[in-house]
Amino acid sequence: MKRFLSISVFLIIFQPIIAQQNYVPTNENMEARQWFQEAKFGLFIHWGVYSVLGDGEWVMNNQNISIDDYEKLPSFFNPIDFDAEEWVKMAKDAGMKYITITSRHHDGFSMFDSQVTDYTIVKKTPYKKDILKPLAAACKKEGIKLFFYYSLLDWHDDNYFPRGRTGTKIPGRADGNWEEYIIFMKAQLTELLTNYGEIAGIWFDGHWDQKEWDGEKYGKVKVDWHYEEIYKLIHDLQPQCLIGNNHHLAPIEGEDFQMFERDLPGQNTTGWGTNASDVGELPMEVCETINGSWGFNLKDNKHKSEKELVQYIIRSAGYGSNLLLNVGPMPNGEIQLEHIKSLEKVGIWMRENGETIYKTTAGPVAPTDDMAFTRRGDTMYLHILNDTKELFFVENFKGKIKSMHLYKSKEKVNHKINEYGMFIEVPNNKKNQIDTIIEIILK
Ligand code: JFZ
């Protein structure tokens, strides 16, 4: 009895996350992972009825807007200037290989035609049209892959109960049934994976809402997310579909890639991010905003510069990771001009230098504030991002070098390797403000 008790106590305290057990990715899935690993750059889109208020996608929680009041928003959402082709072309011209769009965010509003709820863009907005449909068609036409972001957390549905740590002050929420909520999510995921052709991946978010928090650290997860069933459902419907989950933990069985939110892999600069010890073996993706917000924010003018954006692509690639760069379209369906302009500049850089990014893996030395390495076969690219000295030092560099020259101009670069690392001589007038790329061919 005592033994039984301690086992049950153990199970309660360390409630395991039950994952898709004995998951063996199919060949299609392994190929998709390879494609993903090589793609390096994608567009994240946070778009929902919240854009009407111009205060980010968390506005319902942040302003404690009641269920009744928030339900008025869809009637103002009429994105007559939305043009899926334009978005996809913009992404493609920026050098992006895929798009990840919010099909349903924490506000619980479905941006697609769903039969299992009335709270959808088709049934509740004057626009009346599914936006994922034309987006899927445009992506297919342009050879861009499409991922759906899907929120596990829901501030609107009563069946999201027990409620999590967020949205607790939103008036008008009632108690509901968790198992019904799981059935609902599975039905919606089935729709998303049946009605839009091939879907490259599902990007889950919201797991952390159900983690206990004592003000300093997270505790156990309060609910059973049924990941085993959900992940299996997705892989049964579309085996190549890559599953990622923004839970900030080590990968759970059944997942196909690992994401890092506003954080380079394993850095945990936010404090609530992923620890270095939880960085797994799966393909990686870093996500970041183009200004300071995910959803459209009228007052956010902290637009990142071309230098910051390009350098973040390089730093991510230096960890072997993709960058998923976010824009939050406006309620009229347009993307802010500032962001279109930024992406155009990034696209020019990628056309000139993409060879040093796409299809590369992490280099021999981990990135520092001043540099990042990428590598393809015997060719390595040293990206000098921040250099004030004419003699650039790379610590711990080992390896036999056949030749070293500036990328593109092919001018020879002098270097010396000793037991501490490598010294590289780059005259100041040969340096580039954003990135000085040195091509190193190994023996
Ligand atoms: C999540 C979302 O809440 C956010 O709206 C956006 O979609 C982003 C990409 O992902 O952001 C988070 C996730 C977790 C925490 C904070 C923000 N957290 O654990 O504190």
Side-chain angles (χ1 to χ4, degrees), residues 44 46 57-58 102 105-106 149 153 165 203 205-206 208 218 246 248 261 272 287 294:
F44 209 174
H46 273 70
E57 78 290 354
W58 272 63
T102 47
H105 205 266
H106 309 335
Y149 169 110
L153 149 62
R165 292 184 293 110
W203 208 104
D205 192 18
W208 38 267
Y218 286 118
N246 190 28
H248 307 155
E261 186 184 339
W272 42 259
C287 60
W294 299 104

Side-chain angles (χ1 to χ4, degrees), residues 275-321:
N275 291 319
S277 57
D278 290 331
V279 178
E281 299 286 307
L282 298 176
M284 299 188 282
E285 182 191 69
V286 164
C287 60
E288 184 50 288
T289 52
I290 198 160
N291 50 1
S293 316
W294 299 104
F296 173 59
N297 188 326
L298 190 63
K299 293 190 285 187
D300 184 347
N301 284 306
K302 286 191 225 116
H303 309 296
K304 292 186 178 73
S305 65
E306 177 196 5
K307 181 174 176 174
E308 286 172 295
L309 295 174
V310 167
Q311 289 200 346
Y312 214 58
I313 299 173
I314 299 164
R315 288 180 202 280
S316 303
Y319 281 90
S321 171

Side-chain angles (χ1 to χ4, degrees), residues 8 20 39 49 54 63 77 144 159 244 271 312 316 364 390:
S8 8
Q20 187 177 355
V49 293
Q63 293 188 20
F77 187 77
I144 295 290
N159 286 331
Y312 214 58
S316 303
E390 296 230 337

Side-chain angles (χ1 to χ4, degrees), residues 11 20 56 106 111 119 150 175 178 203 269 282 324 327 335 375 387 430:
L11 285 179
Q20 187 177 355
H106 309 335
M111 296 295 281
Y119 205 44
Y150 191 81
D175 297 358
W178 184 259
W203 208 104
T269 39
L282 298 176
L324 183 65
V327 296
I335 290 165
R375 174 178 192 158
D387 176 21
K430 304 281 178 198

Side-chain angles (χ1 to χ4, degrees), residues 27-75:
N27 289 338
E28 296 106 296
N29 191 281
M30 292 306 284
E31 275 167 32
R33 289 184 189 190
Q34 181 70 24
W35 164 84
F36 183 73
Q37 207 283 323
E38 295 178 352
K40 285 293 173 294
F41 193 29
L43 179 70
F44 209 174
I45 301 177
H46 273 70
W47 202 32
V49 293
Y50 44 76
S51 62
V52 168
L53 297 178
D55 196 13
E57 78 290 354
W58 272 63
V59 63
M60 186 180 190
N61 170 87
N62 296 350
Q63 293 188 20
N64 294 313
I65 302 174
S66 72
I67 299 285
D68 284 352
D69 286 345
Y70 200 88
E71 282 182 356
K72 293 171 191 159
L73 274 185
S75 63

Side-chain angles (χ1 to χ4, degrees), residues 166-189:
T166 65
T168 51
K169 296 197 183 103
I170 293 170
R173 299 176 78 186
D175 297 358
N177 181 308
W178 184 259
E179 298 306 315
E180 289 291 325
Y181 182 66
I182 300 292
I183 292 169
F184 163 75
M185 286 202 294
K186 283 167 72 179
Q188 283 212 315
L189 287 162

